[in-house]
Amino acid sequence: MAGLQTYQAKRDFAKTREPRGKAGKRGGNAFVVQKHAARRLHYDFRLELDGVLKSWAVTKGPSLVPGEKRLAVEVEDHPIDYQDFEGTIPEGEYGGGAVLVWDRGTWTPKGDPHKGLAKGHLDFELDGEKLHGAWHLVRMRRNGKRNNWLLIKGRDEAARAPGDPDILDEHPESVVSGRAIEEVAKGKGRVWSSNKRSDKPAAEKTREAPTREEPRAMPSEPLDLKAMKGARKAPLPDFVEPCLATLERKPPKGGGWVHEIKFDGYRLQARINRGEVRLLTRRGLDWTEKFGKAIPAAFKQLPVRQALIDGEVVVENEAGASDFAALQAALSEGRSERFIFHAFDLLHADGYDLRGTALVDRKAALQAALAGLDRSGPLRLSEHFATEGDIVLENACRLSLEGIVSKLRDAPYRSGRGHDWIKSKCSDRQEFVIIGYVPSSTGAKAIGSLVLGLYDNGKLIHVGRVGTGFSAKVARELWSLLEKRRIDRQPVEQKLTSEEVRDVRWARPELVAEVEFRGWTAARLRHAAFRGLREDKPAQEIVREDAAAGLPPTSAARRMSSVKLTHPDRVYWPDAGVTKQGLAEYYSDVWKWMAPHVVARPLALVRCPDGIGAKC
């Protein structure tokens, strides 16, 4: 309790509704950043340690620019339950003003945090909804009675350059309610007072219906489904054909849209019926057993008897982005501990078909259903942004995400591909049919490259090859799968050149590959990289996504288009799946940074024509 004595001394708990606070269990690692519009706007930065929240008032808020120092004034420890507060403190009271939960998550100290605090240099990592990566708290020379520190972002993938957008301006809203600080000041909320008792909510104006420029605030309690406009009584369906997004070069503009992160995983529908949970693919196949027990168990905890929830299962990489190759590896190895289900739509709940209701109303009901779950567990809500789509896409690409999906906020749920949902990608990427392969020149019973096709007006056509992106293990697995599908004649009707058919072994067009590429040359892929097999999509549905063809090639792609490589499919690094073509493209990408260090300087060249594992 010693850590809360100062906190308690400042408050008369006979008069205030503030939590009295008691030390929590040791070992927790939560962090929270609360935006506080007191006499001066600041951000309260809190780290859970020894059962309390160690706290600093950061005057200008955290910055993602490494080396940019933000003053952090050390204040009294706060109780653990303080981290959930979002509301108003009456004007004239201690800390009077609006408070919202700007970010929250977990923190991990580097080394002993007690020694770091005592020494005055605490290094740690944050895993929040807005803040990530390495951070430093450095104590300054003591100034009067206060301990002043500096909060500094470390250099890593989560950092930003000085000219990049400010995270505080990009995402000023609460991670709990989606409200801005002005809305909290006017809206409903718990009133805290340090010297007078108040049992009523703060005085507030009746909030107008949300405009098309702002996100609708999500409720903290389950909705009355019967009262949702467009909801109708109906039995739980066995399966609903999913709503599919149409690819466009740019996201749509205007306040009628909300924008979600595009996940790189398997689209699934979770069907809950009185304790039984089934995970269904976009074609209605039951894949429940593939993803282990944690996800179904999480769905069983929801406060619904029946539900149909649309979402996507992913595996995240070290940077926190969904990674399809990692998902494939986890499925192949039978490892289920990394699977995460991101839920983004609620189609049916407890006897009501919700497909006729507005998207934001369905998401509000979904958020209410998921509210009691652990936010770091295997079942999570796919939250949306009401900022302009081009800004969301720009930041998604900067974080190496696949792209975004923009959705009409007031639209019903319509099965099939339409224009209610628009997807915008950071790079050219789509599925292709595997129509053959070329054996590896460096390993037995392994592929060197895949021959790809897609359907055009019902006819299968050849579109090129992909010779990079698969590890030695995947190359052997693909060889085994394709050998079982060997056929004598090419499965396309086109007349192919002698170069296009050289060394090719044809296969029945049954397998689908997801491929990232740099654009098209006429009707051929350029600089393609394999990302994984798509077992959830039938080959007959694979067509060219035209918007991807319209994306301008990168400068590196333009340079590489004029270079002729011999044996581009030769694998140099078998474990990583890097080919001669991939290495050349990498050099082309980084040349503007390499050039100052290598041009006009003597260099030593080591040739390894058969890869680093052979004679050089």
Side-chain angles (χ1 to χ4, degrees), residues 88-306:
T88 57
I89 303 172
E91 186 176 353
E93 300 300 316
Y94 178 78
V99 179
L100 62 75
V101 180
W102 183 78
D103 194 20
R104 63 184 179 185
T106 59
W107 75 289
T108 304
K110 295 182 179 180
D112 187 335
H114 302 91
K115 291 182 179 179
L117 288 171
K119 185 179 179 181
H121 192 143
L122 181 64
D123 295 330
F124 54 95
E125 291 189 351
L126 297 180
D127 184 12
E129 298 184 39
K130 297 177 183 178
L131 302 182
H132 303 276
W135 291 80
H136 313 282
L137 271 169
V138 181
R139 187 168 56 223
M140 303 170 65
R141 182 173 296 177
R142 192 174 181 85
N143 180 14
K145 296 181 179 180
R146 290 190 170 182
N147 276 330
N148 290 341
W149 298 63
L150 297 174
L151 179 65
I152 309 169
K153 179 74 185 79
R155 297 183 183 277
D156 55 24
E157 293 182 353
R160 295 188 179 183
D164 288 343
D166 190 335
I167 185 70
L168 304 177
D169 297 330
E170 272 187 314
H171 298 297
E173 75 285 350
S174 163
V175 295
V176 173
S177 65
R179 295 184 295 173
I181 195 73
E182 296 81 8
E183 293 179 279
V184 175
K186 296 178 182 178
K188 297 178 180 179
R190 188 188 316 166
V191 176
W192 288 8
S193 171
S194 59
N195 58 18
K196 70 177 180 180
R197 185 174 184 83
S198 174
D199 295 321
K200 296 181 180 180
E204 60 180 357
K205 297 179 181 178
T206 302
R207 190 179 174 208
E208 298 177 357
T211 66
R212 297 177 73 84
E213 283 73 37
E214 66 177 357
R216 188 170 306 176
M218 297 299 188
S220 60
E221 297 179 359
L223 298 180
D224 180 0
L225 300 174
K226 181 172 57 177
M228 290 176 64
K229 185 178 179 180
R232 62 182 184 86
K233 289 283 287 184
L236 177 67
D238 291 332
F239 173 72
V240 170
E241 182 186 351
C243 177
L244 302 176
T246 296
L247 179 66
E248 298 288 352
R249 291 182 60 188
K250 296 181 179 179
K253 294 182 178 293
W257 299 83
V258 296
H259 312 280
E260 300 177 13
I261 297 301
K262 187 179 188 303
F263 297 109
D264 193 10
Y266 276 127
R267 180 79 172 272
L268 291 176
Q269 238 170 65
R271 186 179 188 272
I272 306 168
N273 188 16
R274 303 185 186 282
E276 179 191 14
V277 177
R278 295 168 60 205
L279 301 178
L280 308 173
T281 70
R282 56 192 292 167
R283 289 186 290 163
L285 300 178
D286 190 338
W287 276 19
T288 311
E289 298 300 322
K290 283 180 176 283
F291 296 103
K293 298 179 180 179
I295 291 176
F299 276 111
K300 291 179 181 179
Q301 296 178 32
L302 301 186
V304 291
R305 297 184 305 277
Q306 293 180 321

Side-chain angles (χ1 to χ4, degrees), residues 245-246 248 250-252 257 404-406 418-424:
T246 296
E248 298 288 352
K250 296 181 179 179
W257 299 83
I404 66 172
V405 179
S406 305
H419 286 82
D420 290 348
W421 293 9
I422 300 296
K423 58 183 176 182
S424 311

Side-chain angles (χ1 to χ4, degrees), residues 60-70 135 151-153 162 166:
K60 293 184 179 181
S63 169
L64 298 185
V65 179
E68 189 166 304
K69 304 175 180 67
R70 292 293 168 91
W135 291 80
L151 179 65
I152 309 169
K153 179 74 185 79
D166 190 335

Side-chain angles (χ1 to χ4, degrees), residues 356-385:
T357 66
L359 168 70
V360 287
D361 291 337
R362 300 194 305 272
K363 291 203 69 175
L366 178 60
Q367 184 183 40
L370 300 180
L373 294 180
D374 180 0
R375 297 173 68 88
S376 63
L379 175 54
R380 305 177 190 178
L381 177 71
S382 172
E383 298 183 357
H384 63 253
F385 306 90

